[in-house]
Amino acid sequence: ALQTHLDLEERDFESAEISARELLLLDDLREDSHTLLLRALAGSGRSAEAVAHYEQAVDLFEREIGVAPARLKSGLVELGLIL
């Protein structure tokens, strides 16, 4: 996760995306890993993919644990992708 943060800070969005996806393979219910992926996608100009991933993550969380990921939505708001 630390490397992903560093990649985002250095604006290496491709590496950040790869790292975030690897983290999600280990545990797809880690909200912070989803947030990292959203930031990488948005940073590389792929806003539609970021929003689509957000929607998939919400479905996953609701199906698996019965609640939507609140911090994930605030991340999208922060990125200006949703209101």
Side-chain angles (χ1 to χ4, degrees):
L2 177 60
Q3 183 60 48
T4 310
H5 284 286
L6 293 173
D7 290 337
L8 286 170
E9 286 178 19
E10 294 174 358
R11 304 183 58 79
D12 183 355
F13 300 117
E14 184 178 343
S15 293
E17 178 187 354
I18 291 167
S19 296
R21 289 189 187 281
E22 288 173 352
L23 290 169
L24 288 168
L25 286 174
L26 296 173
D27 184 355
D28 63 353
L29 292 175
R30 288 199 51 117
E31 195 170 344
D32 57 339
S33 298
H34 286 281
T35 300
L36 292 170
L37 180 55
L38 292 178
R39 291 183 185 283
L41 291 170
S44 64
R46 294 160 51 203
S47 301
E49 285 181 62
V51 172
H53 180 78
Y54 165 77
E55 292 169 351
Q56 292 169 354
V58 168
D59 289 345
L60 171 71
F61 276 72
E62 288 177 344
R63 185 176 61 250
E64 294 294 323
I65 59 175
V67 294
R71 287 183 302 163
L72 196 56
K73 182 175 183 178
S74 65
L76 277 185
V77 170
E78 209 175 280
L79 292 167
L81 298 178
I82 62 171
L83 299 175

